Amino acid sequence: MEFLGINLTEWIGYLASFFVAISFFMKNIIKLRVVNSLGCIFFVIYGILIDSWPVSITNGIIVAVNCYYLFINKKPHRVKADEVQP
């Protein structure tokens, strides 16, 4: 299946690259990890489609690390001294 002369597998690769690249512009670490994870998930799919285990495994590990920091290792939000209410 092709769109604009590019097959579906390549589109998935471009989409993955787009999300990973956009994640580097995020200032908020939570948004960064979510967008980066989305890109890495697309890279896992892309790696499977092109039969490249190194691509799939590496990006799968990155998704796992992002999920760890997003859901398991939640640290409480630090309050700055000038934000403390008496």
Side-chain angles (χ1 to χ4, degrees):
M1 185 164 136
E2 287 191 10
F3 180 70
L4 298 175
I6 301 172
N7 68 34
L8 181 62
T9 301
E10 288 182 54
W11 276 114
I12 292 171
Y14 289 131
L15 194 59
S17 296
F18 172 77
F19 280 110
V20 169
I22 290 298
S23 74
F24 288 109
F25 292 99
M26 304 280 171
K27 289 183 180 181
N28 181 306
I29 191 70
I30 294 173
K31 288 180 184 178
L32 182 152
R33 289 191 186 280
V34 169
V35 173
N36 185 268
S37 292
L38 186 58
C40 289
I41 289 167
F42 280 117
F43 265 128
V44 169
I45 295 167
Y46 178 72
I48 291 168
L49 292 173
I50 66 169
D51 198 27
S52 176
W53 289 108
V55 171
S56 296
I57 291 170
T58 302
N59 284 283
I61 291 169
I62 294 169
V63 171
V65 169
N66 282 335
C67 287
Y68 172 77
Y69 283 110
L70 283 170
F71 302 111
I72 297 170
N73 189 26
K74 286 182 159 185
K75 293 191 178 187
H77 176 70
R78 291 185 183 179
V79 178
K80 294 180 183 173
D82 59 345
E83 294 177 351
V84 176
Q85 298 291 328

